[in-house]
Amino acid sequence: MGEEEGSWDNTIEEWLIAEGFCYAGGLAQLEDGAFYAAAPMKDEAGWGFIAKEDYSEEVLQDDGETNKKIAIVEATALKILADTLKAPTPAQGGLWVGGTKYRVTRTDEKFESGDATIKLIQTAKPKGGMIVAVTKSQIVAGFFDEEKGQTSGNCVKSVVAFAEYLVGLGY
């Protein structure tokens, strides 16, 4: 993206973490869904929240009864989410980010903010969630935790503002 990777970590920290509306954030290329920058930066804590190496999980299948061990590739799941505005199917393992399972609760394919039009996806996990904004080349993810006093609305506000900034830069 033309800047040093570390500076994107700093930019995520500034846009998503500093105000306290998100406890973690990440930036991924739309091309592959793989995160390349994360915050908070201190002790690389952001990476622990947003990314986990490929692993397997027992996933409840569509029949509502059968559990099946599925290989989880988080970058692939994030790419499917960004492309389709839907979580991967149970046969694909569902939506897992940072080792946590999320469910999609709300989507908007043409969310407008200022001069930017982005895809906006809201997801949930117990007492928290992940907000995803998709620009023409980037995926922005912000994570909120109700036990830290954070709300989905404020996280949406931060993620959308950051995505609008990226669109303004041509991303």
Side-chain angles (χ1 to χ4, degrees), residues 1 6-7 14 16 21-22 28 33 36 43 49 52 61 70 78 84 94 111 113 118 126 131 134 156-157 159 163:
M1 286 185 42
S7 67
E14 185 180 313
L16 301 182
F21 295 151
C22 305
Y36 63 86
D43 302 325
F49 294 128
K52 186 174 177 184
Q61 297 302 293
I70 303 286
L78 192 60
T84 68
F111 185 87
S113 179
I118 57 172
I131 307 301
V134 183
V156 166
K157 191 171 91 171
V159 168

Side-chain angles (χ1 to χ4, degrees), residues 12-128:
I12 295 166
E13 182 109 23
E14 185 180 313
W15 281 90
L16 301 182
I17 311 302
E19 288 186 272
F21 295 151
C22 305
Y23 70 86
L27 201 50
Q29 294 278 1
L30 179 57
E31 188 178 301
D32 62 7
F35 284 115
Y36 63 86
M41 295 183 335
K42 187 176 193 289
D43 302 325
E44 295 193 353
W47 287 108
F49 294 128
I50 72 164
K52 186 174 177 184
E53 290 294 322
D54 300 352
Y55 54 99
S56 294
E57 287 287 345
E58 289 286 327
V59 177
L60 186 63
Q61 297 302 293
D62 285 329
D63 65 9
E65 295 175 10
T66 311
N67 274 320
K68 188 174 177 188
K69 197 168 197 76
I70 303 286
I72 305 295
V73 181
E74 293 185 351
T76 301
L78 192 60
K79 170 126 179 75
I80 289 169
L81 178 70
D83 288 346
T84 68
L85 279 75
K86 294 181 177 145
T89 66
Q92 295 170 308
L95 179 61
W96 294 78
V97 178
T100 301
K101 186 170 175 68
Y102 291 86
R103 60 185 171 77
V104 176
T105 56
R106 211 167 161 190
T107 63
D108 188 337
E109 193 165 7
K110 294 185 183 334
F111 185 87
E112 293 183 14
S113 179
D115 292 333
T117 301
I118 57 172
K119 292 180 185 177
L120 185 64
I121 305 154
Q122 297 181 41
T123 73
K125 66 174 189 170
K127 297 192 186 290

